[in-house]
Amino acid sequence: MISIKKSFIVLFMTLIFSLVLVWFVGEMNIPGQAAEEVNAYSIWPENWARPMFEEFEKATGIHVNFIRFSSGEALARVIAEKSNPQVDVLFGGPVETHSAGIAEGVFEVYKPVTYNELESRFKDADGYWVGIADDPLVFMSNAGFLKEKNLNPPASWDDLLDPAYKDMIQMADARTSGTAVTRIFTILQVFDRDEAKAFEYMKKLRANVQVYTKSGGGGTIPVGLGQAGAGIFFIVDALKTQQEGYDVVVSFPKEGIGTSVEAIALLKGAKNPELGKKLIDWASSPAMQNLFAEYQINFIPAHPDVEIEPSLAAVIEGANIFPIDSDWAGENRKRIVDEWIEKVLP
Amino acid sequence: MPAFLNIFKKKVSINLPKDPAILLSIIVIWFFLLLFVLFPLSKIFILTFEKSGHFTLTNVLEILGKRNHLQAFWNSLLLATLVGLSGTVLGFFFAFTSVRSNLSKAWSKFIDGTIILPLISPPFTTAIAMIFSFGRRGLITYNLLGINTFNVYGLHSVLFAETITFFPIAYLTLKGVLSGIDPTVEDMAFSLGSSRGRVFKTITLPLAIPGLANSFLLLFAASLADFATPLILAGSRFPLLPTEAFLQITGLFDIRGGAVLSFILLVPAFSVFVLQRYWVSRKYYVTITGKAGAQTQIKSITSRTGKVFLTVCILISILILYFYVLLFYASIVKAFGANYQITLKHYIVVFTEGLKAIKDTLFIATIGMLLGGVYGVVVGYLVSKKTFISRSAMEIVSMINYSLPGTIVGIAYLVAFNNPPIMITGTAIIIIACYVFRYGATGIRTTVAILQQIDPSIEEASFSLGANAITTFKRITIPLILPGLFSGLGVVFIRSMTAISATIFLISINWTLITVRILDKMTELELGVAAAFSTLVVVIVFIVIIFINLFLRLFRGPGAIDMSNILGG
């Protein structure tokens, strides 16, 4: 029979259990009950999105609920949720993502207050998205690796084909990452949109690739640690790695490298459109972009009134950076990515 | 009347239970099964085979036409077969050592304890540990052995990681099988002058074959469904089906493509299910006495061989432990591989930024556990104690979501519940439903197993004393199946804490899960935080297991089933 001691234990455990359960239910912030809340999918990594959203809340009192997805995933989600959008804003991410989304009819036109102040490159002609930052791609290599192999930092696309880099390059997977898509369209641009030549190059490059990472910045730490020798990343990810103390070198190819606008867009059918618009207003203005320097977020601001932070300006000085034609990229994203999967990935 | 004419008296009638409570339960259960098992699956079928309104195979051919996907299909089969073989062999080795070599209590407990770890871990633990150990700057390859060129991505790594992760299942299954073999049978052979090798070859092994086959199938299915480990370790040159389905949906916003890929996965998975149910389980060889007889001197291994076997087992267990210690270590150093300063900052992140995920996961796991436990007991009771029309159908349907790879179930739920008439994506309900109808099936099996051992005359006695079905259930059946209930609760909770392959499609802005956060953090290369989350999950799950075992010991009734057996099935 169950002794007193045993029933005590049972009772005690049940008590703990119920207390814990009650605590949970009590603590549960049922969404919508708090002060004004807006929902967003952020393509920016949490470490940058979070401080920006906190500043937004400080400035406006509106709380931002967000999840981070890489650009492919975010786009997939938004399209899947078309009939019942779960968020109001798609925050950040290379603009090819947003262009592709326009075709799927997931965005709502909204021109924020700063619309006319922005360069034409940083806004959609119809008003579906606006740019909040500019993000060039860069080559990033591990200094120790370069020394060991007696190499200079890669200064040309052809440098990466060097057999010294065999199995030592990490780059993003185009199925999930906007970095990869930007990279592919950059390469297409470098070869003057000659798809045959561009894919030929990419196939040759593939021989040196150790692994295609799920997210754009996925290869940065391996390069930082020396697990990989080099990679192609957005400048934000590369400089972050450098700032964290990893021994890496940033370089640019002489043939040119692309830059992608980071954009923001309002979702069609958003549940909190007014709050979403406020977020877009704030993000596309100096109010947010002046904070980049303070939080060491190495994006180049999109708004013309915001100065580029001096050390960042020094890095890109003299580099051959060209903008990607985002409309063309958006229209052809699926086709090009499919081709990459078929020809280059295996 | 002559007796043989009685057969003409039997009328074929629809067998409906007379008790309204039972009838109601059956109807309710069927409603939920239709809604949460058959409806989502049908959506996958439709997506796969329908285009512009009619049946077509073009979707399938289009997907299979892509080289990457076809490769993924063959790779998945290859990997699953290899894992099945290596895991079964390793598991058999462990089981044989454990059962036959007279281990001391301490070693037995050590091995059992370590073996449980991979079963209760969140996904990616082995993968993370392997990257830290065998990557280009890995602890073992670089720091220890000075090898610079080992490529940690690929088939070999996934095979290794999956074998380590899944062989405990084989171990538990085979341990049960081997202990069920009456040692007196072997003794008889010895007494007739057989050598040890001969006894093993002609007696032990043949009796264990159904168990080996069962293990192989279990491991085959587990590997086929494994999404997490390959995501990290397979690399880009070795695509696998669950990962491809995931990437198709999350990366290429191609839900139809993902559905087709997961449907292709369904084919081998279903074959395994059928084989298991209709072939292996029919062939369990029962030894002559049917029960383990008196413990006679087991002489099947010399004590020297026994020591060798034991050493190997201990070494492998230490390897497993090493992975977990490594995980913990990675969670308390600043930046594994670069900066080995001890810090708590990863845990601080876990308990501030990650608090929502922790609360959400615990909430969902708890509710899922309660609902899943009740569901398991009710269905188990109905299916084993009551006869009614559609009884075997109910048994099979309730097992479907459990037998399928999680990716299929997740995609099915996403597709089924994202549009009218029933839109519950973005809620906790969809995640809870996924867990209940997937892992609750274990509770069903346990309950069925226990009830089969309970003499029906006990219930009949209750009825004859005037109690109705509810009273009998409450006062007779429930106390007897309480151990089953608790194990069922435990399993649902544990699996809910550690699942990812289905629910990664179901998280939303409102509800997120620790396992998904682990993946997020791994993707963002915050490996310290990922390790901290993983450690937290292992600790929570371990505590829960200890509690459940405590409960089980308090309520040990007839047919009390050991926790580890539940995890194994």
Side-chain angles (χ1 to χ4, degrees), chain A residues 2 6-7 9-10 13-14 17 21 23-25 27-29 31 39-41 44-47 50 65-77 79-84 86-87 100 104 142 148 166-168 170 173-176 206-215 217-222 225-228 240 246 333-334 337-338 341-343 345-346, chain B residues 65-69 131-132 135-138 148-149 151-153 231-232 234-237 239 243-244 246-255 335-339 352-356 358-360 362-363 366-367 369-370 414 418-420 423 425-427 503-512 517 519-527 547 550-551 553-555:
Chain A
I2 300 174
K6 281 179 183 175
S7 25
I9 298 178
V10 174
M13 290 204 267
T14 320
F17 178 73
L21 199 62
W23 175 65
F24 275 142
V25 177
E27 283 270 34
M28 289 260 88
N29 266 334
N39 301 313
Y41 287 147
W44 283 11
E46 256 197 80
N47 281 336
R50 191 175 292 276
N65 285 326
F66 72 99
I67 313 185
R68 198 255 157 192
F69 287 118
S70 64
S71 59
E73 290 175 283
L75 185 57
R77 276 261 167 175
I79 293 175
E81 291 166 359
K82 213 164 44 165
S83 50
N84 182 19
Q86 296 287 309
V87 292
E104 299 282 336
N142 180 281
E148 192 188 309
K166 183 151 173 49
D167 245 9
M168 287 304 273
Q170 283 202 12
D173 188 324
R175 288 173 292 184
T176 46
R206 205 263 177 270
N208 286 348
V209 171
Q210 192 184 98
V211 73
Y212 286 107
T213 58
K214 186 167 166 280
S215 82
T220 49
I221 302 235
L225 288 176
Q227 275 169 3
K240 171 171 179 251
Y246 292 102
R333 183 197 168 109
K334 187 158 183 358
V337 171
D338 278 343
I341 296 174
E342 186 72 27
K343 294 199 181 141
L345 189 60
Chain B
K66 302 239 163 74
R67 187 164 35 140
N68 223 28
H69 295 147
I131 300 243
F132 282 142
R136 275 171 199 271
R137 281 289 156 120
N148 218 349
T149 52
N151 190 2
V152 74
Y153 303 108
L231 191 63
I232 309 288
S236 334
R237 285 193 180 87
T243 328
E244 290 294 303
F246 170 73
L247 288 174
Q248 198 76 13
I249 293 193
T250 61
L252 294 171
F253 52 91
D254 181 8
I255 296 199
F336 196 94
N339 186 343
T352 50
E353 265 178 51
L355 196 58
K356 179 174 193 326
I358 298 178
K359 285 204 278 191
D360 285 354
L362 284 174
F363 179 74
T366 311
I367 303 283
M369 165 177 89
L370 295 171
L414 179 66
N418 201 30
N419 296 303
M423 293 215 281
T425 47
T427 62
T503 36
I504 190 158
F505 298 104
L506 306 176
I507 51 154
S508 65
I509 201 111
N510 302 316
W511 295 96
T512 184
R517 298 298 275 136
L519 178 59
D520 278 347
K521 287 302 171 185
M522 291 210 61
T523 313
E524 291 185 29
L525 289 184
E526 304 213 10
L527 298 174
F547 269 169
L550 223 73
F551 266 123
R553 258 187 281 147
L554 285 178
F555 292 100

Side-chain angles (χ1 to χ4, degrees), chain B residues 195-447:
Chain B
S195 68
R196 283 191 188 87
R198 189 134 185 260
V199 170
F200 180 76
K201 229 170 34 175
T202 54
I203 310 269
T204 322
L205 210 51
L207 283 176
I209 283 185
L212 290 169
N214 197 23
S215 283
F216 176 81
L217 289 176
L218 282 173
L219 261 57
F220 186 89
S223 165
L224 208 60
D226 191 8
F227 150 83
T229 311
L231 191 63
I232 309 288
L233 285 179
S236 334
R237 285 193 180 87
F238 194 73
L240 289 162
L241 273 181
T243 328
E244 290 294 303
F246 170 73
L247 288 174
Q248 198 76 13
I249 293 193
T250 61
L252 294 171
F253 52 91
D254 181 8
I255 296 199
R256 186 190 291 276
V260 173
L261 281 169
S262 56
F263 181 79
I264 295 174
L265 196 55
L266 211 153
V267 173
F270 187 66
S271 325
V272 168
F273 174 70
V274 166
L275 278 174
Q276 256 198 311
R277 210 185 138 78
Y278 293 108
W279 179 62
V280 170
S281 55
R282 294 269 161 85
K283 284 184 147 202
Y284 265 89
Y285 300 138
V286 180
T287 53
I288 300 171
T289 55
K291 299 197 194 91
Q295 280 291 35
T296 61
Q297 190 72 34
I298 302 171
K299 317 177 204 99
S300 26
I301 318 183
T302 57
S303 84
R304 205 175 51 169
T305 326
K307 285 204 174 68
V308 170
F309 281 10
L310 181 61
T311 317
V312 175
C313 288
I314 292 179
L315 284 175
I316 298 187
S317 305
I318 291 185
L319 178 68
I320 297 181
L321 266 183
Y322 155 74
F323 281 152
Y324 287 86
V325 170
L326 191 62
L327 193 74
F328 177 66
Y329 184 58
S331 71
I332 53 175
V333 295
K334 261 215 171 117
F336 196 94
N339 186 343
Y340 288 101
Q341 232 184 349
I342 302 281
T343 172
L344 280 180
K345 94 174 162 160
H346 302 310
Y347 281 100
I348 296 181
V349 171
V350 164
F351 286 109
T352 50
E353 265 178 51
L355 196 58
K356 179 174 193 326
I358 298 178
K359 285 204 278 191
D360 285 354
T361 313
L362 284 174
F363 179 74
I364 289 178
T366 311
I367 303 283
M369 165 177 89
L370 295 171
L371 292 177
V374 170
Y375 164 76
V377 164
V378 170
V379 177
Y381 179 74
L382 286 176
V383 152
S384 61
K385 281 288 177 189
K386 301 292 167 195
T387 44
F388 52 92
I389 191 173
S390 75
R391 184 179 69 94
S392 15
M394 179 180 277
E395 199 184 342
I396 296 186
V397 171
S398 64
M399 290 298 294
I400 287 183
N401 273 7
Y402 178 71
S403 329
L404 291 178
T407 318
I408 300 184
V409 179
I411 297 179
Y413 272 50
L414 179 66
V415 166
F417 298 121
N418 201 30
N419 296 303
I422 306 166
M423 293 215 281
I424 51 174
T425 47
T427 62
I429 297 182
I430 195 174
I431 304 182
I432 295 177
C434 182
Y435 286 151
V436 166
F437 292 97
R438 197 160 142 71
Y439 303 122
T442 336
I444 299 178
R445 292 221 313 228
T446 317
T447 312

